[in-house]
Amino acid sequence: MRKALILAVTLLVLGGGALFYAVRAARVAPAQEAAFDLAKPGQIVVRDHASGLVRGSRTRCERFATASGTGVCLVTEVAKTYAVVVDRTMKEIRRLHIAGIPSRARVSPSGRMISWTVFVTGDSYNKGGFSTWTGILDNRTGYAITNMEEIPLTKDGRRYFSADVNYWGVTFARDDNRFYATVSTRGRTYLVEGDYGRWQARVLRENAECPSLSPDGRRLVFKKLMPGGAWRLHGLDLATMEETPLAERAAIDDQAAWLDDRTVMYAKGPDVWAVPADGTGSPRLLVANASSPSAVR
Amino acid sequence: MYIAGFRYRGLTMAVPANVLALGMVSLVTDVSSEMVTAVLPYYAVLVLGLSPLAYGLLDGLYFGVTAVVRLAAGHAADRWQRRKLVAGLGYALSAVCKLGLMAAGGSVGLLGAVVAADRTGKGLRTAPRDALISLSAAPETQGQAFGVHRAMDTVGAFLGPLAAFAVLGATGAYDVVFVVSFAIAVFGVVLLVLYVREQPSAVTPVPRVRPRVGLALLREPRFRRICLLAAALGLVTVSDPFVYLLLQKGTGIAPEHFPLLPLGTAAVYLLLAVPVGRLADRWGRIPVFMLGHLALVGVYALLGGGAPYWLVLAMFGLFYAATDGVLMAAAGPLLPAHLRTSGLALLQTGQAVARMLSSIMYGAAWTFFGPVPGLVVMGAGIVACLGFWKVVR
């Protein structure tokens, strides 16, 4: 009898406490802003870190990217994930059901090619094992590849075969055909260059993840795993293949985006920071409490 | 001590009250821990911004800790004959870690430390809990007792993800999931404190337990053979993530259904845990443990041959039902009551270390030779272990 009473009181206290916390923390949607334009030049579009909304809009995204008036919003609705393509007013124009946890999203400079990476974990966190699925959508034809891991890959001049290839972080060039991405296989990561039309890819170099191509198409910025286990941003001149560490010394685990032809921006903690892409200067805070930055040109 | 359960087609299910209480504690705790398991990758990637690779590194942190903790916990529980206390500390530590996940904030290092502490809690509680189950049931119904406990535990594993996504859907906030998970975990600890009873040792006074006494248990030939068998079979057991990845690649199951595969295994485990446990009591636990591994050979063959996914999941569930609790039921009665926690901890640690090694070996084999040759070697290894056991006994 006494035990049952203790149990009932415990249930009441714990249940009441949890319910109180839940009600207090339930998300409140901010008011809508009238004139939101994704394509207004000179602005930096970001995702608000606290609310998850694309700042200034009513659209909630886990990852967001935009170029030339087209946006891609990766959104998770109770364990279901979608890639939603939006127009300049954030109106939905296409929705793809994709599986997994949103990790990366990109739109090609013209707004035609849309790519994303999700992360699939099928098991308990005490057992390990993950897989990434990278998809590419041609927004003009509507043709979508949900997992690019079957793309023929060349390494050291030979076709490369392995069951464990994982791709992530695609970035397209201005021609909507050439792209760069990361492939991970047999415990190492590589930078690959791909040809969308011919549907083939080749390994360029080892240890370069989440590439991002500059607006002029001449430089890549990527993160490189350092001996201590932290990722550092590096630049790569595609003409000379010369690699330069950037002035950001902190560990960065994000796919950088280009602010202009000389500067990259990236998430560091809860904020967006910027640093010159040629290794000079020093990092500066660009937008507080934000992530997923895109510069509208 | 015994409560009469229910009668079904003339079979009486008499399950000790203490086993039911431990089953309830495990059920409630599993709801709590599986809630976190279900949302942690989302939280790490979406809120903290970790890449899959960084999350993978976080994932692999904990293992070495739990092996050592498990042995130490077993020894402490036996030395002071306080199994309930040590198990309770383990449950409490894991409960506090749920709040720790919120406190870790954006720090990946802290998050890794909290995950490691959570696993430490699991390492602390498992052996004392199994020793309590073992001591609460009569030697001839050990299989049934462990079957009932594991079935209740699995019910919790089913409810956890449902609860997590319900909370997330209603509030959209991960910290609410952690708070609710914490409240449920505390409730589990309260259940343990109120309803689980320490089983006094039959021998009085209890002989002094020194660290070396635990290892000396291996001098007992029948217990030593079980430890060797479990460790040897652990070396040729392909770990769960590989099984599900192979299944997904082989059958082309849509990736959105990938997280549901372990639930299929759990459903079969849940249905079979009690009947197979009872069967083990009647036929002998070691033969059932062996048959369970033949089911695993069947899983490898089906995976290699591209069989339908439901058949693979059913066989895999059967493997778990015939091995997990059955092994504890087989070993428990061979151990003196006052050393039962140390003995079970030794057995579990040996098996866990062997499985970790197997996971590294199979990962390497997959990488260099592809998925199927590794399966053939592992399957042959199981058959060899079973044959060798037949010869030596």
Side-chain angles (χ1 to χ4, degrees):
Chain A
M1 194 60 220
R2 204 172 64 95
K3 281 185 186 175
L5 189 70
I6 297 175
L7 201 64
V9 171
T10 314
L11 257 180
L12 264 174
V13 170
L14 289 173
L19 194 68
F20 173 76
Y21 190 86
V23 169
R24 221 190 43 147
R27 187 175 275 164
V28 191
Q32 179 186 13
E33 194 166 296
F36 179 77
D37 182 3
L38 213 48
K40 195 174 75 195
Q43 67 173 330
I44 301 169
V45 179
V46 294
R47 170 188 182 269
D48 189 85
H49 191 75
S51 68
L53 302 175
V54 172
R55 209 171 269 176
S57 80
R58 281 193 310 170
T59 307
R60 194 173 66 80
C61 304
E62 309 294 356
R63 294 283 184 271
F64 186 78
T66 180
S68 297
T70 304
V72 60
C73 168
L74 302 187
V75 61
T76 298
E77 289 165 4
V78 188
K80 272 199 165 182
T81 302
Y82 301 93
V84 181
V85 182
V86 296
D87 68 6
R88 62 191 295 171
T89 64
M90 295 298 273
K91 201 176 87 209
E92 180 173 329
I93 44 183
R94 190 172 264 137
R95 174 177 285 246
L96 277 95
H97 184 190
I98 56 177
I101 305 166
S103 172
R104 308 286 178 226
R106 278 294 182 273
V107 179
S108 72
S110 73
R112 176 175 170 180
M113 306 305 288
I114 290 171
S115 59
W116 59 84
T117 300
V118 290
F119 159 36
V120 184
T121 163
D123 223 310
S124 306
Y125 73 95
N126 56 346
K127 288 178 181 160
F130 73 89
S131 191
T132 57
W133 296 64
T134 291
I136 297 173
L137 164 74
D138 181 338
N139 197 32
R140 191 176 299 165
T141 62
Y143 182 72
I145 290 153
T146 49
N147 184 3
M148 61 175 285
E149 73 181 32
E150 301 292 326
I151 189 170
L153 178 67
T154 308
K155 181 173 176 279
D156 307 323
R158 275 196 305 256
R159 260 302 296 280
Y160 180 83
F161 297 96
S162 179
D164 73 344
V165 292
N166 267 302
Y167 286 86
W168 65 83
V170 167
T171 181
F172 266 94
R174 201 158 275 286
D175 63 2
D176 287 329
N177 185 58
R178 184 167 49 107
F179 67 85
Y180 296 88
T182 320
V183 67
S184 133
T185 176
R186 304 189 177 186
R188 295 166 195 270
T189 61
Y190 303 91
L191 174 69
V192 298
E193 183 184 52
D195 185 314
Y196 178 78
R198 290 182 171 155
W199 197 239
Q200 60 189 36
R202 65 187 179 103
V203 169
L204 283 189
R205 63 200 288 127
E206 200 184 317
N207 192 11
E209 291 172 47
C210 291
S212 184
L213 189 63
S214 62
D216 62 15
R218 284 152 61 173
R219 291 183 68 84
L220 279 177
V221 160
F222 52 78
K223 61 192 182 81
K224 182 173 176 175
L225 194 60
M226 305 311 279
W231 279 283
R232 283 278 166 79
L233 290 177
H234 282 68
L236 181 73
D237 187 315
L238 286 171
T240 63
M241 291 305 261
E242 197 180 316
E243 193 178 287
T244 323
L246 303 197
E248 172 62 80
R249 304 196 66 81
I252 299 299
D253 191 2
D254 191 19
Q255 183 175 16
W258 291 76
L259 181 60
D260 52 48
D261 274 325
R262 287 182 307 278
T263 319
V264 289
M265 49 191 179
Y266 47 88
K268 179 162 91 174
D271 307 311
V272 172
W273 288 66
V275 73
D278 60 359
T280 62
S282 57
R284 65 186 162 98
L285 178 67
L286 192 67
V287 191
N289 289 309
S291 60
S292 284
S294 300
V296 182
R297 280 175 267 275
Chain B
M1 173 96 218
Y2 282 80
I3 64 157
F6 51 86
R7 290 179 67 83
Y8 179 69
R9 284 186 199 160
L11 292 172
T12 309
M13 284 273 288
V15 180
N18 221 22
V19 171
L20 286 180
L22 285 160
M24 268 318 284
V25 172
S26 286
L27 190 158
V28 169
T29 305
D30 243 37
V31 171
S32 162
S33 65
E34 292 294 325
M35 278 180 83
V36 170
T37 298
V39 303
L40 194 70
Y42 286 84
Y43 176 72
V45 174
L46 298 182
V47 179
L48 304 183
L50 298 195
S51 62
L53 211 57
Y55 180 76
L57 296 177
L58 175 77
D59 229 22
L61 273 176
Y62 73 93
F63 189 86
V65 192
T66 56
V68 178
V69 164
R70 210 194 292 257
L71 291 174
H75 174 68
D78 282 345
R79 175 158 202 168
W80 293 291
Q81 295 293 300
R82 301 292 296 269
R83 289 160 284 257
K84 180 180 163 180
L85 178 71
V86 175
L89 287 176
Y91 282 109
L93 176 60
S94 289
V96 172
C97 286
K98 306 303 185 281
L99 292 184
L101 289 173
M102 289 165 67
S107 161
V108 180
L110 275 178
L111 192 70
V114 173
V115 170
D118 189 20
R119 305 326 297 173
T120 304
K122 193 169 169 61
L124 275 176
R125 71 194 183 231
T126 308
R129 179 202 68 199
D130 281 349
L132 279 172
I133 296 170
S134 181
L135 292 170
S136 304
E140 61 277 9
T141 58
Q142 295 273 310
Q144 173 177 301
F146 277 101
V148 168
H149 174 267
R150 296 303 197 258
M152 293 176 81
D153 188 83
T154 308
V155 170
F158 261 103
L159 296 177
L162 291 178
F165 288 114
V167 170
L168 202 56
T171 63
Y174 290 93
D175 53 349
V176 180
V177 178
F178 299 148
V179 168
V180 172
S181 165
F182 167 74
I184 294 174
V186 172
F187 183 62
V189 175
V190 173
L191 279 178
L192 176 95
V193 171
L194 290 179
Y195 291 103
V196 172
R197 262 176 294 168
E198 181 68 77
Q199 294 300 305
S201 173
V203 200
T204 42
V206 175
R208 178 99 191 266
V209 177
R210 295 170 189 281
R212 236 173 294 154
V213 180
L215 275 176
L217 286 169
L218 288 175
R219 269 193 234 122
E220 206 283 311
R222 284 188 303 168
F223 179 65
R224 182 176 62 223
R225 276 216 302 268
I226 286 190
C227 285
L228 284 176
L229 180 68
L233 285 168
L235 277 178
V236 285
T237 301
V238 175
S239 67
D240 292 16
F242 288 125
V243 169
Y244 295 123
L245 269 176
L246 281 166
L247 192 55
Q248 196 274 325
K249 280 189 192 283
T251 55
I253 293 165
E256 65 260 38
H257 298 138
F258 185 70
L260 301 178
L261 293 178
L263 291 184
T265 305
V268 176
Y269 183 17
L270 172 60
L271 289 175
L272 294 183
V274 179
V276 172
R278 290 179 65 115
L279 200 68
D281 288 337
R282 210 173 299 171
W283 280 7
R285 287 147 202 155
I286 292 292
V288 168
F289 183 69
M290 303 281 219
L291 281 176
H293 281 85
L294 281 183
L296 186 58
V297 175
V299 169
Y300 296 170
L302 293 173
L303 281 174
Y309 71 92
W310 53 267
L311 195 57
V312 179
L313 295 181
M315 288 289 259
F316 204 39
L318 175 63
F319 159 67
Y320 271 111
T323 55
D324 186 21
V326 171
L327 179 64
M328 296 301 120
L334 301 178
L335 296 160
H338 71 283
L339 291 174
R340 203 157 287 185
T341 328
S342 304
L344 293 183
L346 201 61
L347 174 59
Q348 289 167 351
T349 306
Q351 193 183 32
V353 170
R355 284 191 174 173
M356 185 196 62
L357 292 177
S358 107
S359 158
I360 295 169
M361 290 189 310
Y362 184 73
W366 180 334
T367 298
F368 293 106
F369 308 112
V372 175
L375 282 181
V376 173
V377 172
M378 300 290 246
I382 293 178
V383 174
C385 284
L386 300 187
F388 189 66
W389 176 268
K390 268 282 176 217
V391 173
V392 297
R393 61 175 303 202

